Amino acid sequence: MERWDKYWIGIVLGLIMPATVGYVYIETYGLRPALEMFGMALSQTWSKLLIVSVFPDLAFIFVFYAADMWKTSKGLLIGAFPYILAAIAFLL
């Protein structure tokens, strides 16, 4: 398992997973037309979407933490920060 315990693996997963989850969420619930129509006027919707898309990252942080893969877990947290900060920015 030490072979997979790298910061860069966690950071890449932390950046890709929320984007993928957000895309799947938008496509599954048919939010694309509403987001295109109203654009940035739905800042609270974007904020909530970003928060929902970070949940898988947070779940995998605990999975890797329990597997004693500390560096990957920290990398996931680092990769999740841009999404969390963007969600906060859309609220302000």
Side-chain angles (χ1 to χ4, degrees):
M1 284 298 216
E2 282 192 33
R3 157 177 139 177
W4 298 103
D5 193 20
K6 308 272 190 243
Y7 282 111
W8 68 270
I9 293 173
I11 292 171
V12 169
L13 284 175
L15 291 172
I16 291 174
M17 275 197 309
T20 305
V21 169
Y23 176 76
V24 169
Y25 190 83
I26 287 170
E27 292 300 319
T28 302
Y29 292 106
L31 296 175
R32 182 175 299 279
L35 292 174
E36 288 174 356
M37 184 185 313
F38 295 111
M40 296 305 285
L42 297 174
S43 63
Q44 288 187 351
T45 303
W46 279 107
S47 176
K48 290 175 184 171
L49 180 65
L50 287 169
I51 291 170
V52 166
S53 67
V54 172
F55 279 138
D57 265 359
L58 300 178
F60 274 100
I61 286 172
F62 290 112
V63 169
F64 288 127
Y65 180 77
D68 290 332
M69 295 176 70
W70 306 101
K71 292 179 183 175
T72 307
S73 180
K74 290 177 196 176
L76 274 167
L77 188 60
I78 292 168
F81 269 123
Y83 294 97
I84 295 169
L85 292 176
I88 292 170
F90 275 118
L91 283 177
L92 298 179

